[in-house]
Amino acid sequence: MAAARTPQETAGLGEPEGLNGGSSRGSGSGRFGGSVRAVGRALRRPVTGMVRGIRRVTHAHGAGESGLGKLIELHAVNGAGDVMVTVALASTVFFSVPTDEARGRVALYLAITMAPFTVLAPVIGPLLDRLPHGRRAAMAAAMLARALLALIIAGAAASGSLELYPAALGVLVASKAYGVVRSAVVPRLLPPRFSLVKANSRVTLGGLLATGVAAPVGAGLHLLGPRWPLYGAFVIFVAGTFLSFSLPPKVDSAKGEDRALLSADEQRLHGPCGRPPRRPGLRTVGTAVTHALAANAALRCLSGFLIFFLAFLLREHPLAGQSAAVSLGIVGVAAGAGNALGTAVGAWLRSRAPEIIVVTVVAIVLGAAVTAAVFFGAFLVTCLAAIAGFGQALAKLSLDALIQRDVPELVRTSAFARSETLLQMAWVFGGAIGIVLPLNGVLGLSVGAAIVAAGWIPTVRGLLTSARHSNTTHPKPT
């Protein structure tokens, strides 16, 4: 048996010494690798922390289990992609040429895109209504279509080709188709003890926050070149295509649903000789829903009007001491902040007296529009944009509450799709008015006030009557 070697004898052998030297080099390499991994973890931690934080918010209160959290994330992706396309189109159609030429370009844009859209918009809702089993596929198709059209617009913007306009129409139609389907999907994903108003406010707020983040990113990408925001939109919409299929399969189920016709004439509930009508419809909702829809259409029409009218007005007559781009940015931020605040207030109010809320907010917007028209100035224009955004968001959530309360569940999903289509048409109509008006601030805001008044005056009496009736038939919980 060999005698055990002492440490000194072991140190005199070549192999152990070599092993010791290799161990020393290995530990150095290990320390370097550990440092690289530590740096990687440090760089990754803010991103993963942000993702976990977003997921924690979107999936709170049962939204993760019901699938509503996935829809919130999908709507955020939708908003980010749309704002990228908007930034690219604004720079191509609006900011790249003198004001007079820009007005002609935008008029051409409206004629080629918005005019056909007014014909297609009434078809989108009913068409998607007849395909209730493919809602996830419809949302994915809307995302993929916009991804491909963004690439077409990128090529057309660089070459000045007229392909820009039909491609922009396609983006618009796909965006509105997504909006119609999204409105129909929300009721299918409500968590337990979750009101529709609260769910819609979460989805809307997610889209607004994503838009606020993506807008400066799109502006930064535009500094690299006019195509880059469209490339960003392509990537975002491709991600949205895959995310659409992550929604729960139950959104494709049409069990217990029927198609709706927007009508509040209860006398037509039965056809001739007391027989039920051939087509199922929204015939049992009373006047509250249609009056609230008319008031909301006025606010949506005002929104489209202000976007186009103020875009040209502020370019020709910017806010005091500001450039045209900064002036538009200030008004846009004010409108977005008002919209976000209205969404948050709507979630807080939930479904308390929705008729009163609609009447009140439309009256406030009307007062703001009249004030801005009489005492026209930069500050009042900015205030009007914020108040209009606030009123539009809060009135829409109140309309959702009325639909949830008054519309039979059998046709509720269809009612959301149809009402969204009508609101989109109102926005297009308002935009068309904004583009044809002379660039006179007092005249323009007077027309805006008239639009709101046309939606408020005929509906206020019916909504107040409905509110009094609902207090007796739907008493407030104690």
Side-chain angles (χ1 to χ4, degrees):
M1 179 177 291
R5 294 186 176 94
T6 64
Q8 288 81 3
E9 290 175 316
T10 303
L13 298 176
E15 185 176 347
E17 184 178 4
L19 287 174
N20 288 339
S23 174
S24 176
R25 287 190 298 270
S27 63
S29 176
R31 285 194 297 270
F32 177 76
S35 300
V36 171
R37 286 191 295 272
V39 172
R41 283 194 297 270
L43 294 175
R44 192 171 63 247
R45 190 175 294 116
V47 177
T48 56
M50 182 178 64
V51 171
R52 290 194 192 100
I54 294 173
R55 181 62 58 89
R56 195 179 303 115
V57 172
T58 57
H59 285 57
H61 305 109
E65 291 77 7
S66 71
L68 182 64
K70 291 286 186 182
L71 182 62
I72 295 172
E73 294 167 0
L74 177 63
H75 192 61
V77 168
N78 174 80
D82 274 346
V83 79
M84 289 281 189
V85 175
T86 301
V87 168
L89 287 175
S91 62
T92 302
V93 177
F94 186 71
F95 285 110
S96 61
V97 293
T99 302
D100 293 338
E101 186 179 344
R103 195 161 193 182
R105 279 197 178 193
V106 174
L108 179 63
Y109 175 84
L110 283 176
I112 297 178
T113 60
M114 297 298 187
F117 180 72
T118 58
V119 178
L120 293 173
V123 180
I124 294 173
L127 178 62
L128 295 172
D129 227 9
R130 297 178 184 274
L131 300 172
H133 298 287
R135 290 178 182 137
R136 289 187 299 174
M139 297 175 92
M143 292 284 182
L144 183 60
R146 281 180 286 174
L148 299 177
L149 289 169
L151 294 182
I152 295 175
I153 294 174
S159 62
S161 171
L162 289 178
E163 292 176 359
L164 170 71
Y165 297 101
L169 171 62
V171 170
L172 185 65
V173 170
S175 179
K176 303 316 177 188
Y178 162 83
V180 170
V181 179
R182 193 263 301 172
S183 295
V185 164
V186 174
R188 284 282 176 185
L189 301 178
L190 291 180
R193 299 180 299 278
F194 224 76
S195 71
L196 192 59
V197 173
K198 186 175 181 180
N200 274 321
S201 65
R202 280 203 182 185
V203 174
T204 303
L205 192 57
L208 288 172
L209 293 175
T211 299
V213 172
V217 174
L221 289 174
H222 182 262
L223 297 177
L224 301 177
R227 294 185 177 188
W228 281 96
L230 294 162
Y231 294 152
F234 171 80
V235 173
I236 291 172
F237 284 134
V238 168
T241 302
F242 291 101
L243 189 59
S244 299
F245 289 106
S246 70
L247 294 174
K250 62 184 177 183
V251 304
D252 288 334
S253 172
K255 184 178 179 180
E257 294 181 10
D258 214 330
R259 293 195 299 274
L261 298 175
L262 289 175
S263 172
D265 187 357
E266 296 185 3
Q267 294 179 354
R268 291 191 232 167
L269 179 59
H270 299 290
C273 304
R275 290 177 304 209
R278 293 182 180 178
R279 297 178 65 188
L282 189 58
R283 308 286 195 178
T284 58
V285 301
T287 59
V289 171
T290 51
H291 282 162
L293 181 58
N296 271 269
L299 292 180
R300 194 67 68 93
C301 186
L302 176 68
S303 173
F305 170 79
L306 290 178
I307 286 174
F308 287 95
F309 180 74
L310 292 180
F312 288 107
L313 181 68
L314 294 178
R315 181 170 180 177
E316 191 73 16
H317 307 288
L319 300 179
Q322 304 295 337
S323 65
V326 172
S327 300
L328 287 172
I330 291 173
V331 173
V333 169
N339 206 313
L341 180 60
T343 302
V345 171
W348 174 66
L349 291 175
R350 299 183 182 178
S351 58
R352 297 185 180 94
E355 297 99 335
I356 301 298
I357 293 175
V358 172
V359 169
T360 303
V361 298
V362 178
I364 292 172
V365 174
L366 176 58
V370 171
T371 304
V374 174
F375 306 101
F376 180 77
F379 175 74
L380 290 178
V381 169
T382 305
C383 289
L384 175 60
I387 293 172
F390 175 84
Q392 178 182 314
L394 192 51
K396 178 58 170 66
L397 292 173
S398 299
L399 173 63
D400 293 344
L402 284 170
I403 292 177
Q404 185 182 32
R405 189 192 73 189
D406 291 354
V407 177
E409 187 175 359
L410 181 69
V411 294
R412 188 177 297 155
T413 297
S414 179
F416 278 107
R418 300 295 179 97
S419 63
E420 184 63 28
T421 300
L422 290 178
L423 293 178
Q424 299 296 351
M425 291 177 63
W427 186 90
V428 172
F429 180 70
I433 295 175
I435 191 63
V436 300
L437 279 184
L439 297 181
N440 182 296
V442 175
L443 172 64
L445 296 187
S446 298
V447 171
I451 291 172
V452 181
W456 184 75
I457 294 174
T459 61
V460 58
R461 182 177 178 182
L463 287 171
L464 292 177
T465 301
S466 174
R468 287 194 296 269
H469 177 70
S470 66
N471 286 336
T472 59
T473 57
H474 302 281
K476 294 180 180 180
T478 57

